[in-house]
Amino acid sequence: MSANKKDLLLLFERPQEPVFMKKGEDNAVFDVPEKFLTKRHQSIGPGLLERLSEDAGRRIQVKDIDLPDLTEQMSLGRYEQFSLFIPFHRALAGSLIDIFMGAKSIEELLSIAVYSRDRLNPYLFNYAFSVALMHRPDTKYLKIPSLAEIFPEKFIASKAFARIREELAVIPESSRTPVVVPHNFTISDREEEHRLWYFREDMGANLHHWHWHLIYPFETNSREIVRKDRRGEIFYFMHQQIVARYNMERFSNDLPRAKTFSNLREPIVEGYFPKINALLSNQAAPPRLPGTQLQDIDIPVEQLRVDISNLELWRDRFLEVIDKGYFIDEYENKFPLDDVTGIDYLGNIMESSIISPNRRYYGDLHNMGHVCISYSHDPQHLHLESFSVMADSATAMRDPSFYRWHSHIDDLFEYYKAKLPKYNEQQLGYKGIIVNDILVETPNEAPNTLHTFWQQSDINIGRGVDFAPRSGEIFARITHLQHHPFTYTFKVTNNNDLVKFGTVRVYLGPKYDENSKKMKFNENRRFMCEMDRFKVQLHPGENTIKRRSNESDLTTNFENTFRNLSEARSGDGGPEELEENFCGCGWPDHLLVPKGNEKGFQCELFVFISNYDDDKIEQDLVGQCTTATVFCGLRDRKYPDKRPMGFPFDRPANENVETFDDFLLSNMKMEDVKIFHKNVITSRPETKKKDKNI
Ligand code: CUO
């Protein structure tokens, strides 16, 4: 039987097992030409293949082709870690993406992928193959599996793996029970940072961050893959919002805001001991002791040399762009920053993607900050330790230093935003539109209250556990924050004679700072977390707008976050598949509402209806998966909102605005909302073990 697109997805399964072993629900095997086998497998002779595939459910022919030269990509060992933030690794990934992108047909792509899979580092393969599948016109609607399914070790405490393997090896599938993954397990409660475990170590949040970086790759020869609409700006905005959310969580746990890591020579107070393993090498992810100071990095094996003074120089050059109001390209041409595109250029400079206007001069501050923190335990590689979680986009959010680093990055962007012209009433207002009333309703609870609790959900990780028995279904039971679904009701008057359109922008922010003091507007705005953004039609007179929390354009639902490979669609590009894999990106719905606390965390909900004439982007919206655009944008299209991301809080208000009340116009309103947390663990009814369709 010849290959179909969906068969490409089988290559994600059990990443360390050779490609000729059975894959998928139907025990399919790839029939590979002998020269595709690695030397080790060739040396065993044809008998091995025959034995391993004798009761195959299906055979997939792999076409013999001229094989690509993978010498460069093979320079990263099979058992090493892979980091997008390390330039050497990034370059390997970039050229591998190009090889996959260059395949002329699905058949050829399958051959190249089958050939490369057993030779290359599995993380490198997974990343480059995922990026290529997402961006090739003939595969872009395939549903890429969640990384948690393929590399569960990046998300699950290493302690759980002994149980998982035992369960797989000893217990027949019909009798298996989910393995409860320890939670709140990395820090003792005598250390206050432990209170944030549920956010930092949340599988959905980390998956979102990984997926976001997959959608916005920063190095390949195909510039159109990198040059996505407003990618530099969305880099700034998405990370700014993660920091804002983290600070809300800190306030609700009686902790101060994350301290910005502005002095790179100051010790990092927070230690972090990840307690997850890199299964490829069977090595524990290295810890960072409290009070560790960054040092110059010199790691020849990673072709990595960066001094703290390099970071400082790059930071100063970034600030110099803002002070001068222009950047220079590699030929010393000057390009002014303007109000519309300036933030996007700065984002590209900071991200140091291939579309950074001058990588040589502006350097690689953001990525190298991740790298320096991630190697701070062994900066000269004297102990032959790998990098820590901070260098991997699938795990970086686990470490408290992530938020300290990104607070600093955000401060640098803020330095620019503070220089922009302030919004005037014409930009902020909407003539004749009045927001009269805001109501937030949680069923059976007091008005304007939100309610959170703990929930346990089961994730099938069987396809990520290599060298385990074939009937490999096994569920990991994770514990995460959850909230009761709620509804917003907004009463809005349209005093115009005509129907008007508006964009409703909903933000949630803390009412007080960490010292229980009211904040001035210019401080408060940076804590505002976007909850939803949607278009409304306003008839003349009174309008009642209702919106459910699970309709949020910020979030993606549980099924999308933890989607199951076996649920993957056929890959035939039918209409139901359109935009499918973008759906995997998005803030997890279960973290939409900050945890709050038992006495009721005091917040303010801000609702703002802007004039849609100034917001709209003219473009076709094809496909069904047009959700979660706030952080992730729309595939192949423009970001669906013309305003600066974070509008209207992305810059200080004019000088006569001191408090939030001073900022409000008739088309805006604030309402007090309290978030109550109940310290109980419930289970997600539909994800009980017997129900595999999670
Ligand atoms: Cu996503 Cu720093 O870019 O973590």
Side-chain angles (χ1 to χ4, degrees), residues 84-91 94 217-221 223 226 231 313-314 317 327-331 348-365 367-368:
L84 273 183
F85 298 123
I86 296 179
F88 164 52
H89 294 196
R90 216 188 301 162
F218 44 65
E219 187 146 336
T220 114
N221 275 338
R223 285 178 91 78
V226 179
R231 75 160 287 155
L313 178 71
W314 295 332
R317 286 180 177 170
F327 61 86
I328 48 166
D329 70 8
E330 290 184 352
Y331 310 99
N348 290 332
I349 290 172
M350 180 60 83
E351 221 195 341
S352 194
S353 69
I354 54 158
I355 59 167
S356 164
N358 193 345
R359 266 169 141 180
R360 210 162 35 88
Y361 185 72
Y362 296 116
D364 200 2
L365 173 64
N367 301 327
M368 283 306 167

Side-chain angles (χ1 to χ4, degrees), residues 153-168:
E153 73 275 12
K154 287 181 185 281
F155 303 91
I156 290 176
S158 49
K159 253 188 189 171
F161 275 90
R163 266 278 334 273
I164 289 168
R165 285 186 185 285
E166 183 184 324
E167 194 79 11
L168 273 169

Side-chain angles (χ1 to χ4, degrees), residues 85 209 212-213 235 238-239 351 366-367 370 393 396 402 405-406:
F85 298 123
H209 186 240
W212 189 93
H213 281 280
F235 168 77
M238 197 281 291
H239 289 89
E351 221 195 341
H366 158 262
N367 301 327
H370 274 270
S393 61
F402 174 91
W405 180 237
H406 270 283

Side-chain angles (χ1 to χ4, degrees), residues 90-110:
R90 216 188 301 162
L92 299 181
S95 56
L96 187 58
I97 292 169
D98 294 337
I99 291 174
F100 292 140
M101 292 301 291
K104 295 192 182 52
S105 62
I106 295 289
E107 216 176 21
E108 187 177 321
L109 176 64
L110 183 73

